[in-house]
Amino acid sequence: MTTITLEPAELSEKQFQTISGLVKDLCGINLHDGKRELVKARLTKRLRELQMSNYAQYVDFIATDQGQPELLSMLDALSTNLTSFFRESAHFDLLRGKVLPEILRTRTQDRRIRIWSAGCSSGEEPYSIAIVLRETLGSLGGWDAKVLATDLSRRVLETARRGVYGKDRLRQVPSRMVSEHFRSAGADAPDK
């Protein structure tokens, strides 16, 4: 097997525009010129994996039928997966203090709640939503509540599906919530 050593290849303006245009069209992420180095760094790994020596080859490849599966890998590499439990706490305060009470007040017949967590990354945010729902609706019974969690990255969705997090991911979660909503799953799981 031939190993290609990739020196930091030049990412031309045209190549960058092609890649950023594809990303914008496929998923709505805006990669402005300030993101050029990020694109270059993250796609360098893809070029190595595909044994390509420059971005021209890569751009040509993703434009072919054979390169279509690479588009998902490209999006996975370029998407940023920043998340944590109860990230943006004001959103959860609003859900808990205003949105859910209004739903409870007005939805006396249709007792269904559907929440979509788009860009859920590795799952901490939709699990946080589920905790708020459980704490708010738990004693009320009869509510059909579901959270749909989606993300562009197949890799982080797999983490979300498993729902297994290390202690370090739970540092900011109040201990009461950890003991009520999480269980130990092994050596790196939170203590009970």
Side-chain angles (χ1 to χ4, degrees):
M1 180 179 202
T2 305
T3 303
I4 294 178
T5 303
L6 185 64
E7 293 299 318
E10 210 34 58
L11 176 63
S12 74
E13 177 65 24
K14 184 177 178 185
Q15 293 159 352
F16 175 74
Q17 291 303 323
T18 299
I19 291 167
S20 63
L22 270 171
V23 171
K24 177 76 170 171
D25 291 345
L26 292 170
C27 62
I29 295 174
N30 184 18
L31 296 172
H32 54 81
D33 197 52
K35 300 285 188 178
R36 181 188 301 264
E37 288 304 312
L38 176 133
V39 169
K40 185 177 170 182
R42 291 187 181 180
L43 290 185
T44 295
K45 294 174 187 174
R46 296 298 313 141
L47 269 66
R48 282 187 186 125
E49 228 172 271
L50 295 166
Q51 296 187 344
M52 294 181 180
S53 59
N54 58 56
Y55 293 98
Q57 286 179 305
Y58 187 75
V59 169
D60 289 346
F61 177 64
I62 60 177
T64 67
D65 288 341
Q66 297 87 352
Q68 293 302 295
E70 174 58 22
L71 291 175
L72 286 175
S73 296
M74 179 184 75
L75 293 175
D76 200 13
L78 293 175
S79 59
T80 300
N81 301 303
L82 175 65
T83 190
S84 63
F85 286 99
F86 298 97
R87 180 175 171 246
E88 304 290 343
S89 62
H91 297 168
F92 293 98
D93 293 343
L94 181 67
L95 179 63
R96 185 182 289 111
K98 190 167 186 151
V99 174
L100 289 176
E102 180 65 15
I103 289 172
L104 293 173
R105 188 180 66 73
T106 60
R107 292 262 182 114
T108 56
Q109 300 300 313
D110 178 17
R111 296 170 63 90
R112 290 172 15 125
I113 297 174
R114 300 293 184 265
I115 298 176
W116 179 17
S117 177
C120 77
S121 190
S122 51
E124 287 91 332
E125 291 172 27
Y127 284 121
S128 298
I129 293 168
I131 289 169
V132 171
L133 284 170
R134 185 177 186 189
E135 289 187 345
T136 304
L137 304 175
S139 63
L140 299 177
W143 281 88
D144 177 15
K146 293 184 180 170
V147 179
L148 172 65
T150 61
D151 197 277
L152 293 171
S153 171
R154 295 172 292 174
R155 177 181 45 80
V156 295
L157 273 178
E158 186 51 40
T159 300
R161 247 183 233 107
R162 281 192 318 272
V164 176
Y165 303 95
K167 289 179 184 179
D168 61 314
R169 305 298 293 174
L170 297 170
R171 265 183 276 160
Q172 301 300 319
V173 180
S175 58
R176 174 197 62 81
M177 284 186 173
V178 172
S179 64
E180 290 177 17
H181 301 287
F182 297 86
R183 68 175 189 257
S184 181
D188 195 35
D191 294 325
K192 290 293 255 178

